[in-house]
Amino acid sequence: MSVRRGVLLFAIVLGLTLSPVLAGADLTRLVVVGDSLSAGYMNGSLLDRQQEVGYAAFLAKMAGTELDLPLIAWPGIPNVITLDPGPPPALARVPGQSPGRIDPMLQATDLAVPGQDTRECLELRPDLPVDSMTDLVLGLPGLYLGEARSQVEWAEVLQPTTIVLWIGNNDLLGAAVLADPAFLTPFEDFAAAYSEVVDRLAATGASLVIANLPDVKVIPYLTSWDEISLLSGLGPDATRALLGIGPGDFVTMDGMDLVRAILAGEAQGPLPPNVVLTAAEAAEIDAAAERFNDFIARKADEVGAVLVDIFSLTRRLDATGFTGCGRHLSSHYLGGIFSLDGVHPTASGYAIVANEFIRAMNAGLGTAIPEVPLCRVIPDDPLVPRGYAIPASLLPGSGSRETARATRRLFAP
């Protein structure tokens, strides 16, 4: 099933007039290479109605061009997370089992595979049986025809006119989610793999659009020491004494139930190290991000690609959020920018990201793509707050723990 089918409904609902963008680069054969962020992953799941509001789908819709998505049937894979607003609020996964791809005979042009890092994007091929994200996205219909290709290999044979590349997030993000810099990809390995990915995609002759990596500390999967101190009402000294954390430290989502229990006197502190990203560990991840992004910028310049600065976008959103359309969106949990898994954007968050791509492409490629009309997306987004946000620390019970563990499995299966 093509995103074009979703485009028509989107156009009717939002009152958009869709037409191909004729100026500048040729977008008639758009191919996307990346990970969960380019796949439209949201609320801990790859699911058709969410894939159709990912940034790549928004970009294609606004450009009036085709992008074939490997749409996954309800209730998604893994099963999508939902929020019971309560009171008290609680997270749960929808029951049931997805049959998988809605149209297994459709060759996707959004090749992004959740969980893949740069080396896997280059080398990892699907195989039978179809039992992984790589198989679902890249293996159908190819495996039935005797073809098994990685993301880069598919991009090379799909005759793209423009390629969007946003890869490398999982070389960095896993270290933050798992609170362990040991999960950082060594710089030399990242640079070698990334260089080959870019060189091979550039060799197709397509216009190339490259996004750098976000500031991973802004994700609400991580809650800072100062936010916990403020929310607990106990102040910094008492919070430090009870939890064993201090300035610059972060607690992961799967440690928040324990935070609540310790602060309520129901458990003993301090927090175990596997749920705490220390200030020193965060600094190590920051240093890696800077090296990775410096390399991405140099490589983009070397091949004449357009660079989309997602790092600066995430910094801005963390500092000031987004205010408009009668709403204020923040990077806090349930603040409207990030979805229920605490890592991936909401539809509104993806629309904001799409506009960052569109602005960079219009400036660098001479296209004239209209921006996503945020005031037609944000008011209808069920995850945009009506004036409030609920911190992860206030989500009780096993729901938040299971959500956190599922997110961790995306980075360390």
Side-chain angles (χ1 to χ4, degrees), residues 103-147:
D103 183 357
M105 299 310 293
L106 174 75
Q107 173 57 55
T109 51
D110 186 342
L111 303 170
V113 179
Q116 284 200 355
D117 62 21
T118 305
R119 177 60 63 183
E120 289 168 332
C121 159
L122 187 65
E123 298 178 350
L124 189 58
R125 297 170 176 166
D127 58 18
L128 293 171
V130 177
D131 58 2
S132 70
M133 285 291 189
T134 298
D135 300 339
L136 281 167
V137 175
L138 302 180
L140 301 174
L143 290 174
Y144 298 145
L145 305 173
E147 296 178 299

Side-chain angles (χ1 to χ4, degrees), residues 22-359:
L22 300 177
D26 182 357
L27 300 175
T28 55
R29 188 67 169 168
L30 177 65
V31 170
V32 176
V33 174
D35 49 43
S36 55
L37 291 167
S38 295
Y41 197 93
M42 186 193 308
N43 298 319
S45 181
L46 199 61
L47 174 63
D48 59 348
R49 63 191 66 180
Q50 300 181 157
Q51 293 169 267
E52 291 178 334
V53 289
Y55 88 84
F58 274 128
L59 172 60
K61 290 167 186 174
M62 300 314 299
T65 194
E66 295 278 356
L67 183 66
D68 290 313
L69 306 174
L71 296 176
I72 304 298
W74 180 264
I77 298 176
N79 292 26
V80 67
I81 302 164
T82 59
L83 173 67
D84 179 352
L91 300 176
R93 284 195 179 269
V94 170
Q97 182 174 354
S98 172
R101 285 275 295 271
I102 290 175
D103 183 357
M105 299 310 293
L106 174 75
Q107 173 57 55
T109 51
D110 186 342
L111 303 170
V113 179
Q116 284 200 355
D117 62 21
T118 305
R119 177 60 63 183
E120 289 168 332
C121 159
L122 187 65
E123 298 178 350
L124 189 58
R125 297 170 176 166
D127 58 18
L128 293 171
V130 177
D131 58 2
S132 70
M133 285 291 189
T134 298
D135 300 339
L136 281 167
V137 175
L138 302 180
L140 301 174
L143 290 174
Y144 298 145
L145 305 173
E147 296 178 299
R149 293 186 173 96
S150 69
Q151 284 196 64
V152 170
E153 289 168 340
W154 272 119
E156 288 173 323
V157 302
L158 286 174
Q159 299 180 315
T161 58
T162 299
I163 299 173
V164 171
L165 172 67
W166 190 11
I167 196 69
N169 296 290
N170 293 329
D171 295 279
L172 191 66
L173 190 56
V177 168
L178 301 168
D180 187 351
F183 285 90
L184 287 168
T185 299
F187 174 75
E188 292 75 14
D189 296 345
F190 169 80
Y194 198 92
S195 185
E196 185 175 351
V197 168
V198 172
D199 288 344
R200 288 175 60 174
L201 296 181
T204 66
S207 299
L208 193 54
V209 179
I210 294 176
N212 66 9
L213 309 182
D215 180 354
V216 298
K217 301 192 308 304
V218 311
I219 59 173
Y221 189 92
L222 301 174
T223 304
S224 66
W225 166 80
D226 52 347
E227 186 176 359
I228 293 172
S229 299
L230 178 65
L231 293 170
S232 69
L234 297 177
D237 293 338
T239 304
R240 181 185 297 154
L242 288 168
L243 301 178
I245 59 174
D249 293 344
F250 297 84
V251 179
T252 65
M253 185 181 282
D254 52 351
M256 296 311 297
D257 280 339
L258 184 54
V259 167
R260 293 176 67 255
I262 293 171
L263 295 182
E266 299 166 359
Q268 289 291 114
L271 291 167
N274 66 314
V275 299
V276 176
L277 182 69
T278 67
E281 291 169 336
E284 189 174 344
I285 293 172
D286 279 344
E290 183 175 2
R291 291 191 75 189
F292 287 9
N293 278 337
D294 284 348
F295 185 82
I296 289 170
R298 292 197 304 272
K299 197 66 189 176
D301 182 66
E302 177 185 314
V303 299
V306 170
L307 182 65
V308 184
D309 190 0
I310 297 296
F311 182 85
S312 294
L313 174 65
T314 54
R315 281 281 179 93
R316 291 197 306 272
L317 291 174
D318 189 52
T320 62
F322 172 86
T323 300
C325 317
R327 300 283 190 274
H328 177 72
L329 284 65
S330 77
S331 60
H332 295 293
Y333 195 75
L334 294 190
I337 293 174
F338 288 95
S339 70
L340 298 177
D341 59 34
V343 173
H344 300 90
T346 59
S348 299
Y350 275 128
I352 291 169
V353 170
N355 282 345
E356 197 73 12
F357 274 84
I358 288 169
R359 285 189 287 269

Side-chain angles (χ1 to χ4, degrees), residues 346-399:
T346 59
S348 299
Y350 275 128
I352 291 169
V353 170
N355 282 345
E356 197 73 12
F357 274 84
I358 288 169
R359 285 189 287 269
M361 291 172 68
N362 287 346
L365 295 178
T367 52
I369 306 170
E371 293 189 14
V372 180
L374 297 179
C375 290
R376 295 179 183 174
V377 177
I378 290 172
D380 293 327
D381 189 338
L383 292 179
V384 170
R386 272 48 178 174
Y388 67 93
I390 303 170
S393 56
L394 299 185
L395 287 171
S398 60

